Amino acid sequence: MERALAENRLMSLNRRDFIVVPAATLATSLFAAAAPAVPWQRKIRRVGQTNMTEHDPAVLDVEQWADYWASLKVDAVLISVTGILAFYQTKVPYHRKGRFLGDRDFFGECCGAAKKRGLHVIARMSPDLNWEDAVEAHPEWFQRDAHGNAVHHTEDPRLFRTCMFTTYMTDYMPAIMREINSLYDVDGMFTNAWPPLGALPACYCEQCKNLPQPGTMDYWDKFNERTIYLWKLYDSIAKEKKPSNFYFANLGGGIRSTANLVKLGEVCEWFQCDNQGRGGDDTPIWGCALQGRVCHAVQEGKMATNVTGAWSTGTPRWRNVYKSRQEEQMWFNETLASGMAPYHHIIGGENGMGEDRRWLQPAREYFNWMARHDTHFANKRSIANLGVVMGQRTHLFYKPPRGTLMREYMDGMYYTLLEGRFLFDFVHEDKLAPEDLSQYTALVLPNTALLSEDQCQQLRAYVDAGGSLLATFETSMYTERNVPRSDFGLADVFGIRKAGDVVGTVGNAYLARIEKQHPILDGFSDTSWIPGAENRIPIAPVDGPVLTVVPGFVAYPPELSYPIQARTNEPAIVVRQKGKSRLIYFPGDIERTMWRSGHTDLARLLQNSIRWVAGAKPPVTIQGDGVIETFAWETQAGFAVHILNYTNPAMHRGWVRDFYPIGGQKVTMSLPQGRRVSRVELLRAETNIPFGGGSGTIEFTIPRVLDYEVAALYCA
Ligand SMILES: [Zn+2]
């Protein structure tokens, strides 16, 4: 199998300023005074957390707990203060002490044990729930349903949901934070369960009655304002302790994150992804790597961690039982490959460190392996030259055609890119300025329906400067406020014009008739047509179309399953070349249809098309068998090429329960001028391998990849 990756000139100006310098080196360096101060949280490589339960003061062995996390070489631990149940002798009203706390200072003991071992301590709080006595004393703190009733927690009806627009967040939580500052030597503060993940809140309390209707764009504005306001407030409280302290919160949710990630990225020091793992459902294997791409798109090289749940994620879940070791390991692999720091998360310390102790040793081995190779995981920049636009607004507000789900567009495009072995980054829709796009020769817009006039203008300027674009379906058919346009915002760029409303499928979807040969049709012989897509926007005829629409017809009965109209002049694709710029527009929801139908023609057509727009000189190519995901970074030590082996029966469903090795992967990589490779080491196999070239271009073959391999290139 021969597959090419996208091009990169390795001359990017978009260099990420992610410098990791061990503290000891700084202290002893003669030049330490001249070096820019690197905040401690940017030097973190590993994080650990035993998520404390109410019972832990009675059962957790604090010394064993601290020894365990120190043995994983973590840089920080999260210790529960909470807000739902206090783990210390609080004086804040309605901060209820846990049943097993007694007169102990459990938080203080844990904090002291961690500090004794040189670990940073993050105080963890949960502002999302409180008890009935608080509802009676402070009815204004709580979420209300449309009838005005306080909203119970769905699992434990003794708890009620608080509202983020109330004084719970500006009085109660700050009181706890300041109490912690007054009592303990903490290094940062974290809130779990706020901001909410995946869906915006819908509340009818007295405060929220003054807000726009939940679920609207106007509501989102207020939500973002409030989120940034609270974030800055909590950060300022954290800094009252010492200036190096900071606040961060629960994020994650992939592309469908609630807060505007670019705005939040300006104030967020640590992107904590609560993206703990898959269950038995059909979540694809790459969920964690996708999350890493989101962080990279918005974080400008700041700290990002992905919380990996050692516990049994999914439905039903078992919070206190270990999941499949291989599944957990693949999540760690994806965390590292995509540029985040791994975070091992276990729940509760029954019987010392848990009744189920199977989750202790595998993470210790993995984290210690990683610690031997830290300089290769300190990334300076991605060397991908293909950008995939992540339309956060589209994922939150766009209503796709009936019967379809927004995530299917990205799942389909993601799988297509992996199968085609493309090297790519995500690019956020709010980061399309020339300096954001300078490293990319092409951008892919998977049904990026919502785009502002300014964003369209930025894409137009990108094309005028020689950049290439591939877009699908309703891309640019809505403004950034989700208002439909009469024609595409990018109509002039692609040379297209809307000629009707979205056409769906009853029975047999439309076909794409081959009108003339083109590199995007490589591999299609002995056929006059290929599949179209499930939904399409009719567009006006163009000169010299490559594919035209054969309208759909019934699938049953077969007697009637033939085209009523065998030929039209409606384009099924529009292909243009404007100077250096190559442009492809698909009127169909081709990536989503590929995902739903599994049709290999659609994957091939998309891959050929992406390859054509991306250009002929990829920065890295990896040839070999198997379905892999790849990342390539410039690192502290040189370069690193990461290969995740997804060739596994659990790729699309369920947990990984075993690994299936793939054979030789031949890597060819362009090197920037002046960089010379002196050694190639496989970090998983912990062995050096031979290579050809070394300046200009380098070639080597990774003989075998079990679940994950990293080829570390040492540069002179
Ligand atoms: Zn409310």
Side-chain angles (χ1 to χ4, degrees):
M1 242 178 293
E2 186 145 332
R3 286 151 168 166
L5 289 180
E7 178 186 5
N8 187 328
R9 290 160 296 186
L10 286 174
M11 296 188 298
S12 163
L13 303 173
N14 197 19
R15 189 183 172 103
R16 309 282 183 202
D17 184 25
F18 187 173
I19 304 163
V20 176
V21 185
T25 312
L26 263 186
T28 54
S29 168
L30 287 173
F31 304 103
V38 180
W40 71 266
Q41 66 273 15
R42 293 199 188 189
K43 294 184 259 178
I44 287 174
R45 299 310 313 154
R46 288 160 293 278
V47 181
Q49 183 193 359
T50 301
N51 204 334
M52 286 146 183
T53 72
E54 182 178 32
H55 199 209
D56 278 348
V59 292
L60 182 99
D61 182 329
V62 173
E63 290 300 310
Q64 193 188 356
W65 165 86
D67 280 341
Y68 174 69
W69 290 114
S71 78
L72 266 67
K73 298 188 167 61
V74 299
D75 302 286
V77 285
L78 276 83
I79 305 178
S80 286
V81 168
T82 151
I84 302 171
L85 282 173
F87 287 84
Y88 65 106
Q89 300 300 320
T90 180
K91 294 189 174 64
V92 175
Y94 307 105
H95 196 192
R96 179 182 292 200
K97 291 178 201 167
R99 280 167 60 200
F100 303 97
L101 183 65
D103 57 5
R104 272 181 76 183
D105 179 9
F106 187 68
F107 178 85
E109 289 172 35
C110 293
C111 185
K115 288 278 168 175
K116 204 167 71 188
R117 290 161 178 82
L119 308 179
H120 288 97
V121 169
I122 304 292
R124 173 188 178 273
M125 294 158 217
S126 261
D128 55 327
L129 298 166
N130 211 315
W131 306 85
E132 190 158 19
D133 56 337
V135 182
E136 281 164 16
H138 286 283
E140 76 282 7
W141 281 352
F142 291 85
Q143 277 188 30
R144 301 280 159 178
D145 64 18
H147 306 291
N149 302 312
V151 179
H152 287 276
H153 177 45
T154 47
E155 289 186 56
D156 190 330
R158 296 174 302 162
L159 285 162
F160 294 83
R161 301 193 62 82
T162 59
C163 173
M164 65 175 265
F165 288 94
T166 71
T167 52
Y168 192 79
M169 303 298 274
T170 48
D171 291 347
Y172 178 78
M173 291 311 299
I176 294 174
M177 291 174 176
R178 291 200 165 102
E179 187 172 56
I180 293 301
N181 274 346
S182 74
L183 296 171
Y184 306 107
D185 179 20
V186 297
D187 302 294
M189 292 187 175
F190 167 78
T191 56
N192 170 61
W194 183 84
L197 295 177
L200 293 164
C203 175
Y204 301 88
C205 77
E206 288 303 315
Q207 283 300 317
C208 290
K209 276 182 189 165
N210 302 321
L211 297 175
Q213 192 67 21
T216 61
M217 193 63 89
D218 290 340
Y219 179 89
W220 195 50
D221 292 340
K222 296 291 177 192
F223 174 85
N224 282 319
E225 267 173 38
R226 180 72 171 173
T227 300
I228 303 274
Y229 171 79
L230 290 174
W231 199 290
K232 286 182 174 171
L233 171 69
Y234 297 160
D235 194 58
S236 71
I237 295 172
K239 286 177 169 47
E240 288 170 8
K241 180 75 183 178
K242 51 183 192 271
S244 59
N245 282 19
F246 65 102
Y247 160 82
F248 65 113
N250 222 35
L251 293 169
I255 296 167
R256 198 186 153 81
S257 197
T258 51
N260 180 316
L261 292 177
V262 168
K263 277 196 183 139
L264 198 59
E266 292 166 13
V267 294
C268 174
E269 267 296 323
W270 174 338
F271 197 121
Q272 166 94 326
C273 302
D274 189 0
N275 181 17
Q276 302 201 33
R278 306 191 294 166
D281 61 7
D282 61 354
T283 310
I285 199 168
W286 55 77
C288 181
L290 181 150
Q291 183 67 62
R293 294 182 186 282
V294 171
C295 292
H296 179 255
V298 298
Q299 271 297 87
E300 296 290 354
K302 289 192 242 174
M303 175 50 55
T305 43
N306 192 83
V307 182
T308 295
W311 52 281
S312 309
T313 47
T315 308
R317 55 184 53 185
W318 289 275
R319 282 286 218 171
N320 315 88
V321 179
Y322 189 39
K323 62 166 54 152
S324 148
R325 182 183 64 76
Q326 290 83 356
E327 178 75 15
E328 184 196 39
Q329 183 164 314
M330 187 53 90
W331 225 241
F332 286 147
N333 295 339
E334 291 178 38
T335 302
L336 281 182
S338 64
M340 300 186 287
Y343 182 125
H344 183 46
H345 178 214
I346 60 181
I347 311 273
E350 295 297 307
N351 194 22
M353 271 296 276
E355 295 277 6
D356 190 340
R357 292 166 301 284
R358 292 173 295 176
W359 56 30
L360 301 178
Q361 185 58 17
R364 178 155 39 206
E365 285 170 12
Y366 196 92
F367 279 31
N368 276 278
W369 161 77
M370 183 201 167
R372 290 200 292 276
H373 305 288
D374 271 343
T375 56
H376 300 290
F377 298 112
N379 300 325
K380 292 181 175 176
R381 65 181 182 98
S382 156
I383 61 169
N385 73 338
L386 178 66
V388 176
V389 176
M390 49 170 283
Q392 199 191 339
R393 285 182 189 79
T394 302
H395 278 261
L396 280 171
F397 296 104
Y398 167 74
K399 299 270 179 289
R402 241 166 67 105
T404 70
L405 299 172
M406 195 56 223
R407 61 164 265 221
E408 295 166 345
Y409 293 91
M410 189 50 88
D411 284 343
M413 190 57 82
Y414 209 98
Y415 181 71
T416 300
L417 290 161
L418 299 195
E419 192 182 52
R421 296 194 161 201
F422 291 97
L423 191 66
F424 63 98
D425 290 336
F426 276 174
V427 175
H428 193 281
E429 71 213 64
D430 290 343
K431 288 173 89 78
L432 299 176
E435 62 271 24
D436 298 315
L437 302 182
S438 62
Q439 81 181 80
Y440 304 110
T441 59
L443 295 179
V444 173
L445 295 128
N447 193 23
T448 314
L450 277 64
L451 286 171
S452 70
E453 286 299 326
D454 283 350
Q455 287 162 344
C456 290
Q457 182 51 37
Q458 287 176 316
L459 291 168
R460 194 173 289 117
Y462 174 71
V463 169
D464 288 344
S468 297
L469 295 182
L470 181 150
T472 70
F473 197 40
E474 294 213 80
T475 294
S476 78
M477 273 309 302
Y478 295 78
T479 70
E480 81 285 9
R481 306 297 297 176
N482 204 20
V483 177
R485 291 191 171 103
S486 57
D487 203 350
F488 298 92
L490 294 170
D492 59 319
V493 176
F494 289 107
I496 53 177
R497 185 163 58 79
K498 184 186 170 195
D501 293 331
V502 171
V503 178
T505 291
V506 179
N508 203 95
Y510 76 92
L511 306 170
R513 178 175 290 284
I514 296 171
E515 298 286 358
K516 65 177 188 189
Q517 283 309 308
H518 191 280
I520 64 165
L521 298 175
D522 281 356
F524 297 121
S525 55
D526 270 345
T527 181
S528 311
W529 59 32
I530 56 175
E534 188 169 359
N535 300 287
R536 75 179 193 279
I537 308 186
I539 56 167
V542 295
D543 291 338
V546 176
L547 296 169
T548 53
V549 168
V550 177
F553 39 89
V554 298
Y556 186 86
E559 291 87 332
L560 298 180
S561 199
Y562 65 94
I564 306 299
Q565 204 180 353
R567 189 176 287 275
T568 71
N569 60 359
E570 181 190 334
I573 188 171
V574 176
V575 182
R576 287 182 90 191
Q577 204 158 353
K578 252 171 78 180
K580 268 174 63 190
S581 173
R582 293 175 166 189
L583 301 150
I584 289 185
Y585 169 71
F586 284 98
D589 56 354
I590 177 172
E591 71 280 48
R592 190 198 139 268
T593 306
M594 191 288 296
W595 185 245
R596 285 290 291 263
S597 67
H599 208 296
T600 46
D601 281 356
L602 298 179
R604 179 188 290 273
L605 179 61
L606 266 172
Q607 285 156 12
N608 286 346
S609 300
I610 296 167
R611 206 164 282 128
W612 186 74
V613 295
K617 202 165 164 284
V620 179
T621 60
I622 303 178
Q623 295 167 351
D625 289 336
V627 182
I628 61 170
E629 178 160 18
T630 56
F631 291 85
W633 302 96
E634 185 177 348
T635 65
Q636 201 175 17
F639 296 93
V641 177
H642 298 246
I643 298 181
L644 295 154
N645 176 16
Y646 294 156
T647 318
N648 199 294
M651 180 172 146
H652 291 302
R653 189 182 177 85
W655 281 338
V656 174
R657 48 203 72 199
D658 209 345
F659 298 127
Y660 300 86
I662 49 176
Q665 305 290 314
K666 185 183 170 197
V667 179
T668 309
M669 183 173 163
S670 319
L671 292 171
Q673 217 174 7
R675 302 300 297 274
R676 186 169 188 86
V677 172
S678 56
R679 176 151 77 98
V680 177
E681 182 186 11
L682 300 183
L683 300 185
R684 290 300 278 164
E686 298 195 316
T687 181
N688 293 329
I689 54 168
F691 62 94
S695 65
T697 303
I698 182 168
E699 280 185 7
F700 53 88
T701 296
I702 301 171
R704 176 178 186 267
V705 180
L706 182 59
D707 55 319
Y708 176 40
E709 190 52 272
V710 187
L713 280 58
Y714 292 76
C715 274

